[in-house]
Amino acid sequence: MAILKVAKLGHPILRQVAAPIPPDQITGPDIQRLIADMFETMEEYGGVGLAAPQVHQSVRLLITEDIPDPEQEGEFLARRSVAINPEITFLTDEEVAFYEGCLSIPDFRGQVPRIRRIRVRGLDEKGRAFDREIEGFPAVVCQHEIDHLNGVIFLDRMRGLSTLAYQSEFDRFRAASAAGEPS
Ligand SMILES: [Zn+2]
């Protein structure tokens, strides 16, 4: 396994629409190595999610980390997962807004409105179809990562820039009152 270099804002790959992965390639060595390396990279940089274009691979693959339940010790809102060729459906008009960060925009946080509950269909790391409904913070992480597959970054989704903050100032003034993790 290897820690991969993360593409930073301004790298054109972050603005490309990523290509689907042929299902028969998912269990092959290239995609399996990419998945393993992406998990190692996400752990190294402390992200809660990572999309393949962020590691210079313009394919429709994302991973998400375990997301602990802040209200129940030892419980999880979502477990770590892989989504390949994911398709998203919005299940409500209701929005939530978290302060998001991004490993490709490492020093900033900003508040982003997202849909609170979504359905995601795709293939897992073994090429098996999944279909799940998710809500709250895990749904936010998933929307953030799927955006990366379409060349969209969280700055594009902000309603304005008034909540944009350096990470250091966010930690000083906002962290106590706002959730959000780099992804
Ligand atoms: Zn990101």
Side-chain angles (χ1 to χ4, degrees), residues 28-97:
D30 292 348
I31 296 299
Q32 291 298 306
R33 188 180 318 111
L34 176 60
I35 291 170
D37 289 348
M38 284 175 63
F39 273 111
E40 193 172 1
T41 303
M42 182 172 68
E43 286 164 19
E44 171 73 13
Y45 296 109
V48 292
L50 188 66
Q54 292 183 275
V55 293
H56 306 87
Q57 299 293 324
S58 194
V59 293
R60 303 187 79 79
L61 161 61
L62 64 88
I63 62 172
T64 59
E65 186 52 282
D66 283 338
I67 300 175
D69 184 342
E71 289 169 9
Q72 292 188 69
E73 179 84 32
E75 297 292 318
F76 292 86
L77 299 176
R79 300 314 301 252
R80 70 169 30 191
S81 67
V82 174
I84 295 166
N85 305 339
E87 300 286 342
I88 190 169
T89 309
F90 295 144
L91 297 178
T92 175
D93 294 333
E94 203 181 320
E95 292 181 343
V96 285

Side-chain angles (χ1 to χ4, degrees), residues 49-51 54 101-105 144-145 148 153-154 182-183:
L50 188 66
Q54 292 183 275
C102 182
L103 296 181
S104 297
I105 313 168
H144 177 120
E145 301 309 333
H148 277 303
I153 58 171
F154 83 83
S183 55

